[in-house]
């Protein structure tokens, strides 16, 4: 993949990711999150992970974001009114995040493998859906079934939580 | 030339944006979206390592992609439960602002 595509999609992902945090209107945040995830799935595809990229679009921009927008509609959220922000808390939070990023940079800088580019694949034609599915149903069969139980528990939990009277 | 380090830095930057969102924003729905950003930043570095560390046959390490698949599934379940909790909170308190929910504070 040409390197300018990497820069474009990384910029789209990070720019709209920042817009999620900076927007005051929750709907604008949710739609920025959709664009950010589209950029992320393009980055997945640039890493030859086509299956994960498609799953990302289907699950996140398809299902999860519709859920978010539906909840925003249901609660009828408006643009936030400006409240007095605690300056110490804002500066402290920004400092913690920046310190965290500086640490990530120093770790990646010390990692020797980080300077190497990606090795070429053995063949350009590969069947990653087949390979991931084979692993999922052989090596990871028990975790796969546990995930099924987890999703069932989540479904039952959501139904119980959204009943009118919580006891 | 795009190296592994580029992807790791981009993933770290996305994680930092999500982290800053959780720390700085007070709207619980935005905090929840920032959590999703952080989960996906972890997915990006997993996929980058999967592509970087080819196995003997010269194909990507698919174990990492199976792991990403599990993370996406758990994240979807987590979003459903979390949003149901937000709706229940809104019914009880008519707010989505974390500073209005301070029973456990102090």
């Amino acid at each position: 993949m040409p390197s300018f595509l990497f820069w474009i999609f990384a910029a789209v992902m990070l720019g709209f990711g920042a817009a999620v945090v900076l927007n005051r209107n929750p709907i604008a945040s949710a739609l920025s999150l959709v664009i950010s995830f589209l950029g992320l799935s393009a980055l997945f595809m640039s890493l030859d992970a086509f299956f994960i990229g498609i799953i990302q679009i289907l699950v996140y921009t398809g299902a999860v974001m519709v859920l978010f927008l539906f909840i925003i509609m249901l609660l009828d959220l408006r643009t936030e009114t400006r409240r007095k922000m605690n300056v110490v808390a804002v500066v402290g939070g920004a400092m913690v995040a920046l310190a965290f990023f500086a640490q990530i940079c120093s770790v990646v800088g010390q990692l020797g493998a980080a300077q190497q580019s990606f090795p070429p694949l053995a063949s350009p034609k590969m069947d990653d859906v087949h390979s991931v599915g084979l692993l999922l149903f052989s090596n990871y069969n028990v975790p796969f079934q546990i995930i099924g139980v987890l999703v069932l528990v989540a479904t039952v939990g959501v139904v119980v939580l959204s009943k009118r009277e919580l006891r | 030339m795009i190296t592994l380090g580029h992807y790791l830095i981009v993933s770290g930057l996305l994680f930092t944006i999500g982290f800053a969102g959780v720390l700085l924003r007070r709207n619980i729905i935005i905090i929840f979206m920032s959590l999703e950003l952080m989960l996906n930043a972890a997915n990006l570095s997993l996929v980058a390592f999967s592509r970087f560390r080819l196995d003997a046959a010269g194909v990507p390490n698919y174990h990492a992609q199976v792991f990403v698949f599990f993370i996406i599934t758990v994240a979807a379940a987590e979003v459903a439960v979390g949003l149901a909790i937000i709706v229940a909170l809104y019914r009880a308190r008519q707010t989505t602002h974390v500073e209005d929910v301070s029973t456990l504070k102090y």
Side-chain angles (χ1 to χ4, degrees):
Chain A
M1 146 141 164
S3 63
F4 72 92
L5 284 179
F6 168 81
W7 292 113
I8 289 174
F9 286 123
V12 164
M13 182 184 78
L14 293 175
F16 281 92
V20 171
V21 176
L22 297 177
N23 264 320
R24 304 202 75 81
N25 185 349
I27 298 174
S29 284
L31 294 179
S32 306
L33 196 59
V34 171
I35 311 286
S36 178
F37 283 162
L38 286 179
L40 181 63
S41 91
L43 285 185
F44 283 157
M45 290 182 186
S46 78
L47 289 165
D48 298 304
F50 299 103
F51 176 62
I52 297 296
I54 292 292
I55 285 289
Q56 174 82 15
I57 292 181
L58 286 182
V59 173
Y60 274 103
T61 62
V64 168
M65 294 321 299
V66 168
L67 206 57
F68 265 107
L69 286 173
F70 196 72
I71 295 299
I72 292 171
M73 181 199 78
L74 206 64
L75 303 186
D76 200 15
L77 296 180
R78 307 270 171 214
T79 306
E80 277 176 69
T81 50
R82 278 187 184 275
R83 297 200 184 194
K84 200 157 66 82
M85 298 276 274
N86 187 351
V87 180
V88 179
V90 170
V91 173
M95 293 289 282
V96 169
L98 282 179
F100 176 78
F101 183 62
Q103 264 192 327
I104 286 182
C105 285
S106 78
V107 168
V108 172
Q110 284 168 11
L111 187 70
Q115 269 84 45
Q116 297 168 25
S117 61
F118 292 94
L121 291 175
S123 77
K125 278 173 64 180
M126 41 160 224
D127 199 355
D128 64 339
V129 181
H130 181 250
S131 310
V132 170
L134 206 61
L135 267 184
L136 208 54
F137 286 103
S138 57
N139 276 21
Y140 297 98
N141 199 1
V142 175
F144 188 62
Q145 296 186 27
I146 293 174
I147 283 285
V149 176
L150 179 81
V151 172
L152 177 68
V153 169
T155 315
V156 174
V158 168
V159 171
V160 170
L161 274 174
S162 34
K163 278 211 286 202
R164 273 277 157 206
E165 317 255 302
L166 276 182
R167 269 171 305 222
Chain B
M1 202 62 206
I2 301 300
T3 62
L4 176 65
H6 286 92
Y7 278 95
L8 293 184
I9 293 289
V10 165
S11 143
L13 208 50
L14 188 65
F15 194 96
T16 308
I17 290 171
F19 191 34
V22 170
L23 290 176
L24 298 177
R25 290 305 299 263
R26 293 285 171 268
N27 188 336
I28 200 161
I29 290 193
I30 308 285
I31 290 179
F32 217 60
M33 289 178 195
S34 306
L35 282 177
E36 296 302 311
L37 282 181
M38 287 159 73
L39 278 166
N40 283 293
N43 284 350
L44 179 59
S45 61
L46 276 171
V47 173
F49 278 118
S50 136
R51 176 67 182 76
F52 183 72
R53 201 57 85 193
L54 299 185
D55 64 7
V59 295
N61 189 339
Y62 286 113
H63 293 265
Q65 297 194 12
V66 171
F67 195 28
V68 170
F69 177 83
F70 283 137
I71 293 175
I72 290 178
T73 318
V74 172
E78 175 237 333
V79 164
V81 175
L83 286 175
I85 291 175
I86 291 175
V87 171
L89 170 75
Y90 193 79
R91 277 192 190 141
R93 299 283 184 87
Q94 270 76 44
T95 183
T96 55
H97 209 265
V98 283
E99 279 169 353
D100 296 338
V101 187
S102 55
T103 314
L104 281 180
K105 208 174 171 186
Y106 308 124

